[in-house]
Amino acid sequence: MMKISLLIIALMCSGLVQADILVIVNAKNSVVALERKQIVDLFMGRVSAFPDQQRAQTLDLKTGTPLRADFYKRLTGKNEAQVDAYWATLIFAGRMSPPKQLADEKTLINEVANNVNAIAYVTRQALPKNVKIVMELPAQE
């Protein structure tokens, strides 16, 4: 039993144990749930509105943030450099603007809590009442 506990602690410290990622929107947003493809389309700039045609504002963490890299890898199968290159192409062509980047999860949650059009992602945690979960990306095993 002691060996198993030590192994779990070692894995947690090494960063190999990943947390679930929650995709969140404002509680007043009419969206109840989103499918993976819909979230990919929003965060990769293929669509700019929720399924009910309400405008969507995607919020992202700053480049280089481990959660940002993990989110895109789980969601799209692309690493952070590939996602950034994809957006660079769209920006150069003048077609779309990438998600607004914010400093940390607390800032993302506050922005979603105050903006009915916002959508973001955070690790599993207690969330305020004015934010709701529309999809979960479970930790990879």
Side-chain angles (χ1 to χ4, degrees), residues 23-32 127-128 130-134:
V23 179
I24 59 171
V25 298
N26 185 287
K28 293 180 181 174
N29 189 308
S30 64
V31 172
V32 175
L127 295 169
N130 49 355
V131 170
K132 66 182 175 182
I133 300 165
V134 292

Side-chain angles (χ1 to χ4, degrees), residues 48-107:
S48 58
F50 291 106
D52 65 358
Q53 302 310 310
Q54 176 184 339
R55 185 180 68 79
Q57 180 182 7
T58 50
L59 303 175
D60 213 344
L61 287 170
K62 287 187 176 181
T63 300
T65 308
L67 177 56
R68 181 179 188 266
D70 192 23
F71 172 72
Y72 283 105
K73 189 67 172 175
R74 288 191 210 183
L75 186 66
T76 67
K78 297 180 185 312
N79 65 38
E80 193 172 26
Q82 291 171 312
V83 170
D84 290 343
Y86 169 85
W87 274 109
T89 303
L90 290 180
I91 293 166
F92 181 75
R95 292 176 44 198
M96 291 293 288
S97 296
K100 177 181 176 184
Q101 291 191 357
L102 300 171
D104 55 43
E105 290 183 70
K106 183 178 180 181
T107 307

Side-chain angles (χ1 to χ4, degrees), residues 30-51:
S30 64
V31 172
V32 175
L34 292 171
E35 296 176 11
R36 177 182 295 265
K37 182 181 180 331
Q38 293 170 311
I39 293 171
V40 169
D41 288 347
L42 284 165
F43 278 89
M44 299 305 284
R46 295 179 190 139
V47 298
S48 58
F50 291 106

